[in-house]
Amino acid sequence: MGELDYRKSLLFTPEGVRDLYGEDCEKRLKIQNEIHTIMKRYGFKDIQTPTFEFFDIFSQERGTVKSKEMFKFFDQYNNTLVLRPDITPSIARCVAKYYSEETMQIRLCYTGNTFVHRSGYQGKLCEIQQVGAELMNDDSSDADGEMIAMTIESLIQTGLTEFKVDIGHAGLFRGLVEEAGLNEEEIEQLKRYIANKNIFAVEDMLEKKEISSCEKELLTQLPDLFGDVEKVRAAKEKTNNPMALDALERLEKIDQILKTYDLQEHITFDLGMLSRYEYYTGVIFKAYTYGTGDAIVSGGRYDNLVEQFGKKTSAIGLAFVIDELMAALSSQQVEIHAKEEDIVILYRSANRSTAIELARKLRSEKRSARLMRKNAQTPLDEYKEYGKKNDVSVILYIDDTGNVTEFTLSN
């Protein structure tokens, strides 16, 4: 490869990551800020965690992503480090460290990127931007309902009108497989069958298991148990397992709470919902809309994760997947007003002080002002063309005599 070709190759990004710039970047930041503003109104306080941490923070035993999906490297002491594949374990570590004695609610929110290796790539990004929130030290159904309500309110704030938040419960599946006496390998296999809605395979697996006919029917029907709260009530009639019953009763309570928020039109119960994260212990939920194939928000209760770092506490969290959300907004042609038109102050060096004073005045009025010293050889029309291409609404030209002429640009 020649020197010129090598330099050109450096202009490209590695597979799975990309540049964001211009109006697309402005729109994304506006949406992030709108979600973040809602979280702040709910009383969440910002936290930032490192982009990379020790491998053991995200080890599979904690129920996060598989080792082969992490970007790993070594520090100078030969410790294995990873780019964070998930932000929740990082925050769990922080809570155990900095809030070890706190017994009342802890509300934390964040904006950050996660990094997950995609085998085969298939056009999916490896760097995923998220805005999320975590609520600790509150194991109530009210906390579950509030987090789902905040999710719905945030999505409405972005401009989405047609979306659903699907709600399930990790305890239902755990209770039913406990009742069926399945081992870990069988449980993983059953998860794949349910995820693929392969009812025949589920029936075949359960055929020789000592489980009541009703519970066997319930497990088989899980992929299709999707709808309003009546699906939850019907499922209660088919199991005597305490864990499964607790899960279904919790979902009924959440339904009542969301009715109090007057947000029930945006929710659906999905009793066959499974999560890729094993640390979820209670309610789990995902938001979907048309225009994207994946969830735009995911969340759930993880009451045992923080204890792995030394603090026994309940917890529930959620994360907005910004890439999926932006794809949905674009597909649905939701207008995002993120374009900020600037004022350019064009001046010669003899009028520098006048130009700087004018820029200060405009900025003090919360207006955007760009200073540009005019090149004597560059005609004024070229500056006007530049302005039209770069979100400039007005050029204030200070000529050699100190007079200010205003040129309004039409973009």
Side-chain angles (χ1 to χ4, degrees):
M1 182 186 291
E3 179 67 20
L4 183 58
D5 289 336
Y6 172 70
R7 288 180 182 176
K8 285 183 177 179
S9 72
L10 294 178
L11 299 177
F12 296 92
T13 59
E15 197 171 58
V17 295
R18 61 176 175 170
D19 297 314
L20 290 164
Y21 62 97
E23 192 173 352
D24 285 344
C25 190
E26 293 288 342
K27 287 180 177 180
R28 175 178 293 254
L29 289 172
K30 182 176 175 62
I31 292 299
Q32 286 178 204
N33 289 337
E34 286 180 348
I35 296 169
H36 182 254
T37 297
I38 297 293
M39 291 177 176
K40 298 295 282 185
R41 287 176 186 166
Y42 273 72
F44 288 83
K45 303 303 178 185
D46 288 300
I47 187 171
Q48 292 183 355
T49 61
T51 304
F52 61 88
E53 297 212 42
F54 292 117
F55 168 78
D56 287 343
I57 298 294
F58 309 99
S59 63
Q60 194 169 350
E61 290 72 24
R62 300 199 194 283
T64 184
V65 305
K66 296 176 182 176
S67 174
K68 66 179 181 180
E69 295 178 347
M70 300 184 202
F71 287 91
K72 296 186 280 287
F73 56 102
F74 300 95
D75 65 11
Q76 67 268 39
Y77 307 109
N78 214 31
N79 294 309
T80 304
L81 308 177
V82 296
L83 294 177
R84 61 187 179 203
D86 180 13
I87 296 179
T88 298
S90 295
I91 294 180
R93 173 190 59 75
C94 286
V95 168
K97 181 177 181 180
Y98 301 112
Y99 297 86
S100 60
E101 302 303 318
E102 182 59 72
T103 57
M104 301 294 281
Q105 277 189 357
I106 302 166
R107 292 174 177 248
L108 301 170
C109 62
Y110 63 86
T111 299
N113 293 5
T114 59
F115 305 84
V116 179
H117 178 69
R118 309 281 189 177
S119 56
Y121 182 49
Q122 297 177 337
K124 289 194 173 183
L125 292 169
C126 297
E127 183 177 15
I128 304 153
Q129 197 166 35
Q130 297 182 349
V131 178
E134 315 288 340
L135 174 54
M136 314 277 187
N137 279 345
D138 190 338
D139 63 358
S140 69
S141 54
D142 286 86
D144 295 347
E146 184 181 4
M147 292 295 273
I148 295 169
M150 186 172 72
T151 298
I152 295 170
E153 186 177 339
S154 298
L155 289 174
I156 292 171
Q157 182 66 29
T158 67
L160 282 182
T161 55
E162 297 183 43
F163 64 88
K164 285 287 185 183
V165 178
D166 297 346
I167 307 171
H169 198 294
L172 175 60
F173 180 77
R174 287 202 178 102
L176 292 176
V177 297
E178 175 189 87
E179 197 71 26
L182 301 182
N183 60 40
E184 286 189 18
E185 187 178 337
E186 289 172 323
I187 291 171
E188 288 304 312
Q189 188 66 60
L190 182 60
K191 282 182 178 180
R192 287 193 288 272
Y193 292 154
I194 291 174
N196 296 327
K197 298 189 181 296
N198 189 342
I199 293 173
F200 299 107
V202 175
E203 289 177 340
D204 186 58
M205 175 180 280
L206 298 176
E207 187 176 353
K208 297 177 182 178
K209 296 294 179 182
E210 293 184 7
I211 182 173
S212 72
S213 58
C214 283
E215 284 173 318
K216 188 179 294 185
E217 181 185 354
L218 182 55
L219 257 176
T220 304
Q221 291 178 346
L222 275 184
D224 296 321
L225 291 178
F226 185 89
D228 60 20
V229 73
E230 291 305 318
K231 294 287 186 182
V232 179
R233 292 178 182 140
K236 283 176 66 177
E237 303 300 319
K238 295 181 179 180
T239 180
N240 292 314
N241 180 272
M243 187 185 298
L245 284 172
D246 283 349
L248 293 166
E249 288 168 5
R250 182 75 161 214
L251 293 178
E252 285 184 303
K253 290 177 183 176
I254 291 169
D255 179 68
Q256 286 300 316
I257 291 165
L258 290 172
K259 282 177 179 171
T260 305
Y261 278 100
D262 197 24
L263 295 172
Q264 67 272 22
E265 67 178 290
H266 290 290
I267 68 166
T268 304
F269 291 97
D270 181 1
L271 302 188
M273 182 185 293
L274 302 172
S275 173
R276 65 180 299 204
Y277 296 132
E278 292 297 326
Y279 53 64
Y280 285 130
T281 57
V283 62
I284 49 179
F285 55 92
K286 294 180 181 180
Y288 292 95
T289 187
Y290 66 87
T292 178
D294 293 319
I296 53 178
V297 187
S298 61
R301 178 164 288 283
Y302 52 98
D303 287 344
N304 299 330
L305 179 61
V306 185
E307 188 176 1
Q308 296 181 37
F309 296 100
K311 178 181 173 63
K312 186 173 178 60
T313 182
S314 56
I316 181 171
L318 62 87
F320 287 77
V321 186
I322 299 300
D323 292 295
E324 297 298 336
L325 178 55
M326 295 306 295
L329 291 168
S330 175
S331 176
Q332 297 180 32
Q333 298 182 330
V334 175
E335 209 169 332
I336 303 171
H337 299 286
K339 197 172 183 179
E340 295 185 1
E341 295 188 334
D342 299 343
I343 297 170
V344 163
I345 300 169
L346 193 61
Y347 65 97
R348 299 298 300 278
S349 56
N351 294 302
R352 182 182 296 112
S353 59
T354 303
I356 291 172
E357 189 58 36
L358 180 55
R360 281 178 173 169
K361 181 177 184 297
L362 290 169
R363 290 166 187 161
S364 71
E365 297 169 355
K366 301 187 186 299
R367 302 175 74 184
S368 177
R370 306 185 197 180
L371 285 167
M372 292 183 70
R373 196 176 86 182
K374 187 179 182 304
N375 187 305
Q377 281 72 48
T378 304
L380 188 57
D381 284 345
E382 285 193 27
Y383 289 98
K384 292 179 182 178
E385 287 303 313
Y386 162 84
K388 290 176 181 178
K389 291 185 291 185
N390 289 276
D391 301 332
V392 174
S393 58
V394 172
I395 291 179
L396 299 177
Y397 176 47
I398 308 175
D399 63 23
D400 290 336
T401 64
N403 290 325
V404 180
T405 305
E406 180 176 320
F407 297 96
T408 302
L409 306 183
S410 57
N411 294 313

